[in-house]
């Protein structure tokens, strides 16, 4: 935190609530005493599911309440119940010092073989849109706050753009053998709707999900501009042209975890996720992602490749352009950390 200036921390298992709160407060006290006084934004993977799971993206629950997984919540056919669930999650998270939830997972459940199907909100896109709005509104909205943001609010990081439930053969993109998203039946646009008509069009005062996570996958043959088959965060078309451009999303975009490292030797190595960019250096991968309009690197905690990417960008695009691009992401990160607010002038 003092040397690499990390201010976004994903927390996993807690011993108990008292230990968690003591630790969170100690970390905040330490970071706020450092130059610029920027606090930490603690995030969490889902931890309220009642089902036992060994999947790496589940977190230790500690003493939080237990609920059905996403597919079980969808089976209620009741967006208001989902909203109530999200309100409870937000209060329990804030009591633990957590301010960003890595969810909800709004991928359409189009392949029953996918190991993450249980965390989705189902197959039907119209129902998923309603459930997504309910969940994000419940998570982000503090009653009686002028713009909805307040002491009970938690940032929703909806995932996984542009829809991660279409892995070839039901395989998952945590592993190289599952890297391809194939969108059977030409339904690519349908998988966007939980985002474009749900998370980006909330009925509550916060208006849109605070952040978005693209999936590891290569959206096969869906790039209509550059005709590249690369992981979604590496795709100029998926991020810059569609997410940022066509659909006008101006919140935080965070990569899925550990996508910039060099690939392993075996097809089933865990962590070989630089799909389609294996010929680039680690710093070149960072630069490509940054210039697409991505703000955060999930799982990365080393500033060196980011700074190297910045220097490379200065040579390619000019220092003024790179400084402007980096400040753009820094501004939104500080918003999520509670350091500033939209509309206020950004300090140098």
């Amino acid at each position: 935190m003092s040397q690499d200036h990390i201010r976004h921390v994903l927390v996993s298992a807690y011993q108990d609530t008292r230990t968690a709160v003591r630790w969170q407060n100690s970390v905040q006290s330490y970071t706020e005493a450092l130059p610029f006084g920027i606090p930490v934004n603690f995030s969490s993977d889902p931890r309220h599911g009642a089902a036992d799971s060994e999947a790496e993206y589940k977190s230790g629950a500690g003493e939080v309440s237990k609920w059905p997984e996403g597919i079980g919540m969808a089976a209620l056919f009741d967006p208001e119940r989902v909203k109530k669930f999200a309100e409870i999650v937000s209060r329990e998270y804030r009591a633990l010092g957590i301010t960003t939830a890595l969810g909800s997972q709004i991928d359409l459940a189009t392949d029953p073989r996918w190991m993450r199907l249980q965390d989705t909100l189902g197959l039907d896109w119209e129902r998923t849109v309603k459930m997504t709005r309910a969940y994000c509104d419940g998570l982000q909205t503090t009653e009686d706050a002028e713009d909805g943001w307040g002491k009970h609010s938690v940032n929703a990081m909806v995932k996984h753009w542009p829809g991660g439930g279409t892995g070839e053969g039901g395989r998952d993109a945590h592993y190289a053998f599952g890297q391809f998203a194939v969108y059977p039946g030409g339904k690519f646009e349908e998988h966007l709707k939980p985002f474009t008509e749900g998370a980006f069009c909330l009925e509550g005062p916060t208006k849109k999900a605070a952040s978005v996570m693209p999936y590891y996958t290569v959206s096969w043959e869906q790039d209509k501009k550059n005709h590249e088959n690369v992981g979604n965060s590496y795709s100029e078309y998926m991020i810059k042209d569609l997410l940022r451009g066509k659909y006008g999303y101006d919140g935080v975009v965070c990569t899925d975890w550990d996508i910039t490292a060099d690939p392993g030797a075996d097809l089933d190595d865990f962590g070989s996720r630089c799909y389609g960019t294996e010929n680039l250096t680690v710093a070149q991968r960072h630069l490509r992602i940054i210039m697409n309009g991505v703000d955060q690197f999930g799982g990365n905690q080393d500033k060196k490749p980011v700074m190297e990417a910045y220097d490379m960008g200065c040579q390619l695009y000019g220092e003024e352009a790179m400084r402007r691009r980096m400040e753009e992401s820094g501004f939104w990160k500080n918003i999520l950390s509670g350091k500033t607010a939209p509309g206020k002038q950004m300090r140098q």
Side-chain angles (χ1 to χ4, degrees):
M1 291 181 178
S2 63
Q3 296 179 22
D4 290 292
H5 310 296
I6 297 297
R7 289 298 182 276
H8 296 264
V9 177
L10 175 63
V11 294
S12 55
Y14 286 127
Q15 177 176 314
D16 53 52
T17 301
R18 184 175 295 275
T19 303
V21 172
R22 186 185 301 117
W23 180 72
Q24 304 274 39
N25 288 342
S26 296
V27 173
Q28 295 290 17
S29 178
Y30 174 75
T31 56
E32 290 180 18
L34 293 172
F36 305 111
I38 299 174
V40 174
N41 173 11
F42 289 104
S43 61
S44 174
D45 275 310
R47 59 179 66 240
H48 282 76
D52 292 328
S53 175
E54 298 299 324
E56 58 83 26
Y57 47 86
K58 293 298 180 74
S59 296
E63 298 170 320
V64 300
S65 57
K66 296 287 191 177
W67 294 75
E69 304 292 351
I71 201 74
M73 298 301 296
L76 295 174
F77 301 97
D78 187 351
E80 285 302 313
R81 188 69 60 87
V82 171
K83 183 178 181 181
K84 183 63 177 178
F85 160 64
E87 290 172 350
I88 293 171
V89 169
S90 71
R91 282 154 178 77
E92 292 185 347
Y93 273 8
R94 289 304 297 261
L96 288 168
I98 296 167
T99 47
T100 294
L102 304 192
S104 61
Q105 187 183 320
I106 59 177
D107 309 300
L108 297 183
T110 54
D111 194 317
R113 297 169 292 185
W114 189 34
M115 71 178 189
R116 305 188 72 171
L117 180 140
Q118 67 178 9
D119 301 302
T120 73
L121 294 169
L123 168 65
D124 184 89
W125 72 262
E126 292 179 297
R127 186 178 306 119
T128 297
V129 164
K130 294 176 183 177
M131 297 290 189
T132 298
R133 288 176 179 170
Y135 183 88
C136 292
D137 278 334
L139 197 69
Q140 294 189 163
T141 302
T142 295
E143 295 295 332
D144 301 324
E146 182 178 354
D147 59 359
W149 295 102
K151 63 181 181 180
H152 298 308
S153 299
V154 172
N155 306 302
M157 184 179 289
V158 291
K159 56 188 185 183
H160 304 85
W161 177 268
T166 61
E168 184 182 28
R171 296 184 287 272
D172 183 71
H174 279 82
Y175 303 90
F177 56 72
Q179 65 184 277
F180 300 113
V182 293
Y183 301 95
K187 298 287 188 178
F188 176 77
E189 286 76 15
E190 189 170 292
H191 287 264
L192 299 180
K193 290 182 178 181
F195 298 89
T196 60
E197 298 184 21
F200 303 166
C201 299
L202 302 184
E203 296 172 349
T206 63
K207 297 182 180 179
K208 63 177 178 292
S211 48
V212 172
M213 181 189 296
Y215 206 31
Y216 301 116
T217 45
V218 176
S219 296
W220 186 256
E221 299 297 326
Q222 298 301 322
D223 182 345
K224 308 304 182 186
K225 175 185 176 184
N226 301 314
H227 306 288
E228 291 184 310
N229 288 306
V230 293
N232 288 308
S233 288
Y234 290 105
S235 173
E236 180 184 54
Y237 179 75
M238 293 298 165
I239 305 302
K240 187 174 182 179
D241 295 330
L242 282 189
L243 180 60
R244 294 298 200 189
K246 180 177 180 178
Y247 296 109
Y249 183 74
D250 60 359
V252 169
V253 179
C254 177
T255 74
D256 214 329
W257 259 233
D258 302 319
I259 71 168
T260 56
D262 291 327
D266 299 322
L267 191 62
D268 59 352
D269 280 342
F270 189 77
S272 299
R273 302 168 189 152
C274 57
Y275 304 138
T277 64
E278 292 84 356
N279 61 324
L280 301 180
T281 67
V282 172
Q284 287 173 330
R285 292 177 195 135
H286 279 74
L287 178 60
R288 178 164 179 161
I289 290 170
I290 289 169
M291 298 313 292
N292 283 344
V294 176
D295 304 297
Q296 296 180 347
F297 294 92
N300 296 19
Q301 55 191 34
D302 182 0
K303 72 178 180 182
K304 292 187 182 74
V306 178
M307 298 309 297
E308 187 178 346
Y310 176 80
D311 291 337
M312 292 169 57
C314 288
Q315 296 177 17
L316 290 170
Y317 310 112
E319 185 173 0
E320 182 179 351
M322 280 307 295
R323 178 66 184 248
R324 185 168 59 250
R325 174 67 194 93
M326 300 297 276
E327 287 182 349
E328 182 181 58
S329 288
F331 175 62
W332 284 109
K333 284 198 212 176
N334 285 344
I335 289 173
L336 285 188
S337 294
K339 191 63 181 175
T340 184
K344 291 187 178 180
Q345 184 176 3
M346 180 172 61
R347 294 182 175 88
Q348 297 292 332

